[in-house]
Amino acid sequence: MADGSFPKPDQPLAHRLAHRAWDGFEVALNRTDAGKHTPTISPLVRMALHVGPAVRADCCVDDVSRSGWQSPGDYDLVPPGVQGQWEDATEALVMSFRFSPELMARAAEGLDARPGALTPQMRARDPQVELIGQALRAELEAAHAAPRLYGESLGLALATRLAARAAHRPPPRLSALTPRQLRAVTERIEAHLDEDLSLTELAATAGVSVSHFTVMFRRAVGQSAHRYLMERRVLRAQALLARGGRTIAQAAGETGFAHQSHLARCMRRMLGVTPAQLTG
């Protein structure tokens, strides 16, 4: 399911604060009103992560009810085809996630597990789920969106964690990309630094599944594919500016940055200098 192709939410969200969608995955930061919420049954996996102050809530998923306080870090999970509803005593700040069947199948493939093994969860807790949620919230609230490789990697990591908990097994131990695979991937990155590369494209270049690629790349390089991509963009921009003949805005555009202030921020963080210092 491609970016932006998700069906619209079941009911209008008058207090949607931020939203992003990637391949097979979307997340929104919502401020929900007090009262009862009853979304329609969906073919998607849905999860709500509570990120605001604790709120008293009555939850019901698949005819199983639970009442109590929803605290920051608690999450509710509603599998496909399952009815869920909740009633909050006061307004709440919630991150809402939706995963396509295709993404969940990829996550299950990486675990050698059944993709349909998810069960309803209410007020569940998992430190890894919370950490990934925090990273996605930071991305939602960032002034400039990161490359889609970053969001797709986080979405797959979250889907894999949910699938692993359902299968009661850890992710398999994977080897690193071979030198030949790594060369093919890094050459593709170098040739397309100005493009918004996807996780699917890089995994296909390596000839491995998307669910395995992120781990195998990190084992080969020692950092995530997103981090590697950003470093290569900054170093390419540095070389272009040192060579002369380009403005900072031109160098930013040729290396995939939103604009020159985005390049300046990344360059300062990675190299300790600004583009202006290279051209001054």
Side-chain angles (χ1 to χ4, degrees):
M1 190 171 289
D3 182 2
S5 66
F6 277 94
K8 293 182 179 179
D10 304 308
Q11 55 191 30
L13 293 173
H15 305 288
R16 172 170 283 184
L17 306 179
H19 172 264
R20 287 289 306 279
W22 295 272
D23 184 19
F25 168 70
E26 71 168 354
V27 57
L29 179 64
N30 302 315
R31 189 175 301 280
T32 61
D33 293 329
K36 182 175 291 187
H37 305 265
T38 309
T40 57
I41 294 176
S42 171
L44 305 175
V45 173
R46 293 168 290 171
M47 190 184 85
L49 176 66
H50 293 261
V51 295
V55 57
R56 182 82 182 177
D58 297 323
C59 303
C60 181
V61 179
D62 203 21
D63 295 328
V64 177
S65 299
R66 180 175 294 181
S67 299
W69 287 94
Q70 293 275 21
S71 302
D74 289 351
Y75 72 87
D76 304 317
L77 181 68
V78 182
V82 172
Q83 178 68 66
Q85 66 178 18
W86 73 98
E87 184 171 2
D88 294 330
T90 57
E91 70 173 24
L93 189 63
V94 179
M95 290 185 69
S96 300
F97 303 84
R98 298 202 293 173
F99 307 85
S100 71
E102 293 79 11
L103 180 61
M104 296 307 302
R106 280 187 221 156
E109 175 191 10
L111 297 165
D112 192 24
R114 291 190 303 111
L118 293 177
T119 57
Q121 302 286 324
M122 289 179 286
R123 300 214 318 265
R125 295 192 69 87
D126 183 320
Q128 290 192 34
V129 169
E130 188 172 4
L131 283 173
I132 298 171
Q134 290 171 354
L136 282 163
R137 181 176 180 181
E139 170 62 12
L140 284 177
E141 296 177 336
H144 309 293
R148 65 173 172 166
L149 186 63
Y150 181 63
E152 288 180 358
S153 298
L154 289 174
L156 180 60
L158 186 52
T160 300
R161 182 60 181 173
L162 295 175
R165 284 175 60 87
H168 304 291
R169 68 182 72 179
R173 179 78 179 177
L174 298 172
S175 61
L177 293 176
T178 66
R180 183 176 181 179
Q181 289 173 315
L182 182 59
R183 184 170 59 253
V185 171
T186 54
E187 286 177 353
R188 184 176 183 88
I189 290 174
E190 290 295 325
H192 300 276
L193 281 178
D194 61 331
E195 299 177 15
D196 202 8
L197 291 167
S198 73
L199 200 57
T200 301
E201 291 170 329
L202 295 183
T205 301
V208 299
S209 70
V210 173
S211 59
H212 289 172
F213 174 77
T214 53
V215 176
M216 296 176 72
F217 185 92
R218 184 183 288 275
R219 291 194 184 283
V221 180
Q223 60 184 347
S224 69
H226 166 256
R227 175 72 180 182
Y228 178 85
L229 170 65
M230 296 306 293
E231 285 190 357
R232 294 309 306 157
R233 285 179 168 180
V234 166
L235 292 174
R236 174 75 63 82
Q238 179 189 33
L240 291 175
L241 292 172
R243 190 182 307 161
R246 288 176 174 82
T247 66
I248 297 173
Q250 288 172 332
E254 290 181 35
T255 50
F257 290 97
H259 43 65
Q260 63 185 54
S261 65
H262 187 200
L263 167 60
R265 187 175 67 255
C266 292
M267 183 174 286
R268 186 184 302 110
R269 185 173 64 246
M270 292 185 183
L271 302 181
V273 298
T274 65
Q277 289 173 300
L278 298 177
T279 58

